[in-house]
Amino acid sequence: MQWRVSIPPLTRVLLALLVALSVSYQALRFGGDADQVTGHYLALIPQWALFTPWVYFTASYSEQNILTFLIAGATIWFGGKYLERAWGSLEFGKFILIVTVLPNFLASLVYVLLFALSPKAEHALVVIQGSVALQGAFIVAFKQLVPEHTVTILRGALKIRVKHFPSLFLAANSLSGILFGTDTALVLAWLGFLTSWTYLRFYKTQPDLSSASTGGSQLRGDASETFAFAYFWPDTIQSPIAAIADGIYNALVALRICTPFSAEDVEMGNEQATARGEGGLPSIVNHDGSRSGRNKQEESERRRALALKALDQRLQAASTNNKPQPTIGQSSASSGAVNTATPGTEERPDQN
């Protein structure tokens, strides 16, 4: 009984849904009706999806083999337990609905477009299913909440910070799609990543952790500099990615699709990031109390260092852009004033 209570309610529902849909898929598959029934009613086939719109949700929980089923189960078990406790069941439910339905819908549009450009039947009849988009979305959420947390694998043989997971996840799925033909996983990984980041960056409401008031004030989105799109990638390629991302962002702002962040929004976002970093991961990941406290302190220090670095870069860029540059006309006037001035006379400012 205690084991069951330790799982938040919505996470428990998702695990049950994963088991039920995956077992149903396999039962229909072994019954010989996988192509005619399962593909239409549980998984997503672009040609038929509009006639069975619920597949945009159910496809994420219909796994086709035991390996992907176990990966999906671990994703929901660990990721769902933490995110539902961190956000609450309502916000977690909104997040799940968005990062399952929207990536699947966009993936179907991608394959419809491929079919229109190169009319091959396999593009319209490809089976889109699995939790890859959900995995990418959860990784982005962890990058927001605990980017500096270090995950230890194989008893310390391998240590990876959470902030590096998104780029590793996308690289692995991209290479797999190119080398092994798992193109649906490639498409879902990128769409899950982009959908999750867009929602968390601009739309999701969250409590103001940095506020001392008890009024329950809410913030919209996450304007912190460490959650900017460029910070998901290695340092060596952040500058060109930032330039491209800023160009797209400015275009969306000009089209009034996105609302620009103010300096106050960025400052509050940075305070939120620092406050989240001081909380660390809960006991579902860190079982050793002393190690958990030490990890939290290290995460906090790294978060502060990153925030200071980002702030320093922003101030340097602002000072460079705001530094007055004399024009040719001003330089000539200044030179002439120096050459023509004589002792005992007072120079008058230009009245023009």
Side-chain angles (χ1 to χ4, degrees), residues 86-304:
W87 293 341
S89 297
L90 180 59
E91 287 298 327
F92 180 61
K94 293 178 184 178
F95 177 76
I96 287 294
L97 192 63
I98 290 170
V99 300
T100 52
V101 173
L102 193 54
N104 286 332
F105 176 74
L106 294 175
S108 67
L109 292 184
V110 168
Y111 282 97
V112 168
L113 180 61
L114 290 175
F115 175 73
L117 296 177
S118 58
K120 296 181 180 179
E122 57 265 26
H123 292 319
L125 298 174
V126 66
V127 178
I128 302 173
Q129 63 183 137
S131 63
V132 177
L134 192 64
Q135 296 165 27
F138 277 18
I139 288 174
V140 173
F142 275 95
K143 163 69 170 68
Q144 181 194 35
L145 297 176
V146 283
E148 297 302 321
H149 179 78
T150 300
V151 176
T152 302
I153 304 173
L154 300 176
R155 296 184 178 181
L158 182 62
K159 296 181 179 180
I160 306 176
R161 290 185 186 175
V162 171
K163 67 179 181 181
H164 299 310
F165 280 177
S167 57
L168 293 174
F169 174 79
L170 292 175
N173 280 281
S174 298
L175 288 176
S176 175
I178 296 172
L179 298 178
F180 303 110
T182 56
D183 52 285
T184 55
L186 185 156
V187 172
L188 287 174
W190 279 93
L191 291 177
F193 165 79
L194 292 172
T195 301
S196 179
W197 178 79
T198 302
Y199 174 67
L200 295 177
R201 178 71 168 173
F202 299 105
Y203 300 106
K204 182 184 177 300
T205 57
Q206 54 185 324
D208 186 1
L209 301 176
S210 61
S211 176
S213 63
T214 58
S217 58
Q218 297 284 321
L219 300 176
R220 185 181 179 88
D222 182 356
S224 63
E225 293 170 319
T226 53
F227 196 60
F229 189 79
Y231 278 83
F232 282 81
W233 313 100
D235 295 343
T236 54
I237 60 174
Q238 283 184 7
S239 296
I241 290 179
I244 297 173
D246 289 344
I248 296 175
Y249 173 71
N250 292 333
L252 294 176
V253 170
L255 295 173
R256 297 184 179 180
I257 297 177
C258 287
T259 302
F261 290 128
S262 64
E264 182 181 359
D265 292 333
V266 175
E267 184 66 24
M268 293 182 67
N270 291 335
E271 293 179 2
Q272 288 282 105
T274 302
R276 286 193 301 263
E278 293 175 352
L281 283 177
S283 57
I284 61 171
V285 176
N286 294 324
H287 300 286
D288 185 351
S290 61
R291 182 176 300 175
S292 174
R294 185 167 59 253
N295 287 342
K296 289 179 182 179
Q297 183 178 1
E298 293 174 356
E299 290 166 25
S300 255
E301 293 174 356
R302 285 195 292 264
R303 290 293 289 267
R304 291 191 186 97

